[in-house]
Amino acid sequence: MAVGIFDSGLGGLTVWDAVAKRLPEVPFVYYADSAHAPYGVRTVEDIHDLTKAGVNRLWDEGCDLVILACNTASAAALRRMQEAGVPQGKRVLGVFVPMIEALTERHWGDQSPPREVAVKHVALFATPATVSSRAFQRELAFRAIGVDVEAQACGGVVDAIEEGDLILAEALVRSHVDALKRKMPAPQAAVLGCTHYPLMAEVFQDALGPEVKVFSQAEIVAESLADYLSRHPQMLGDAKETRFLTTGNPTKVSTGATRFLRRKIDFVKA
């Protein structure tokens, strides 16, 4: 009855941590493609192929539902995978949808035409690959009109977080916020479009100022998943226990994950 969570590395642990607290009775299988991280600087074709391989492995592990807890994978691979078709009884979902639901205050099942929403000026902080895909803007346009999105590619932040260099990560975040504010001086809301970024949410908030509402994905995705599973309980697969898999060095990844979440996390080789 496990749900799969896929990420290029450790960032998706922010999502796993939130959904595990929200759904303590549900086991999860977490797959970190650490050998190929970060995804944010890879080509679209690379990201698609690596994501597809990871999702297939999670299906093989007994997960009927897989969450792409990676915005870059969601941006570059999800639509193509869904259009190509997934095995019967399987589903793969991304993390953009819950964020846009929260931002626009519309349920994704609402099929009415796009309409004006309260937020008019949105800052998007994401990896270079997510920014270049324009996937967030495309999905937002299905639900809202009149929203100005200014995207800032946050090069280096994921690498610094993965390496545990939070001093460098903070300096990079403040630099990227400054660059964004030169293009959009007064955003009303900011979307942290990478699952690594919740670890730096306080820095983003401080750099942006108290008047900017910061949307961070972990808790939003957790609530959305709880709602989805209440409506689709059959999507719980047949795996029985929480496991952590990595394509990288399990010892190194386990050490990073333990530092990341401040409690012991043990990965095994995928």
Side-chain angles (χ1 to χ4, degrees), residues 62-205:
C63 302
D64 290 341
L65 171 64
V66 175
I67 306 299
L68 298 186
C70 173
N71 287 271
T72 302
S74 294
L78 178 59
R79 181 175 290 272
R80 182 173 164 186
M81 291 177 65
Q82 290 174 332
E83 289 175 349
V86 299
Q88 185 173 2
K90 308 288 189 184
R91 289 294 304 275
V92 56
L93 303 174
V95 288
F96 277 149
V97 169
M99 182 68 79
I100 292 171
E101 286 177 341
L103 184 67
T104 61
E105 298 183 344
R106 290 183 58 160
H107 192 279
W108 202 250
D110 181 352
Q111 296 299 314
S112 61
R115 61 173 182 261
E116 290 193 3
V117 294
V119 176
K120 302 296 184 185
H121 305 287
V122 176
L124 170 65
F125 297 96
T127 66
T130 297
V131 169
S132 64
S133 75
R134 294 189 61 82
F136 181 85
Q137 292 92 322
R138 182 178 64 245
E139 298 292 349
L140 179 62
F142 291 140
R143 293 294 177 266
I145 58 175
V147 180
D148 179 23
V149 178
E150 188 64 59
Q152 176 64 35
C154 298
V157 175
V158 169
D159 303 80
I161 292 174
E162 289 269 340
E163 292 299 320
D165 192 344
L166 298 187
I167 294 176
L168 175 59
E170 176 173 348
L172 288 169
V173 165
R174 292 187 183 278
S175 175
H176 290 310
V177 170
D178 286 344
L180 182 285
K181 291 177 83 171
R182 287 195 290 272
K183 297 178 288 185
M184 179 182 279
Q188 294 170 280
V191 171
L192 304 188
C194 173
T195 49
H196 285 75
Y197 297 174
L199 287 180
M200 308 305 296
E202 291 183 3
V203 178
F204 276 103
Q205 186 71 75

Side-chain angles (χ1 to χ4, degrees), residues 53-64:
V55 169
N56 284 336
R57 176 58 188 274
L58 285 166
W59 285 334
D60 290 343
E61 289 289 327
C63 302
D64 290 341

Side-chain angles (χ1 to χ4, degrees), residues 2-78:
V3 172
I5 297 180
F6 172 87
D7 188 55
S8 62
L10 299 180
L13 288 172
T14 60
V15 172
W16 169 77
D17 189 45
V19 297
K21 290 174 180 174
R22 179 64 179 81
L23 298 164
E25 73 284 1
V26 176
F28 294 89
V29 180
Y30 185 97
Y31 181 102
D33 191 18
S34 309
H36 303 106
Y39 277 17
V41 295
R42 289 187 170 274
T43 66
V44 170
E45 198 65 28
D46 273 350
I47 296 165
H48 170 267
D49 292 347
L50 291 167
T51 301
K52 184 177 179 181
V55 169
N56 284 336
R57 176 58 188 274
L58 285 166
W59 285 334
D60 290 343
E61 289 289 327
C63 302
D64 290 341
L65 171 64
V66 175
I67 306 299
L68 298 186
C70 173
N71 287 271
T72 302
S74 294
L78 178 59

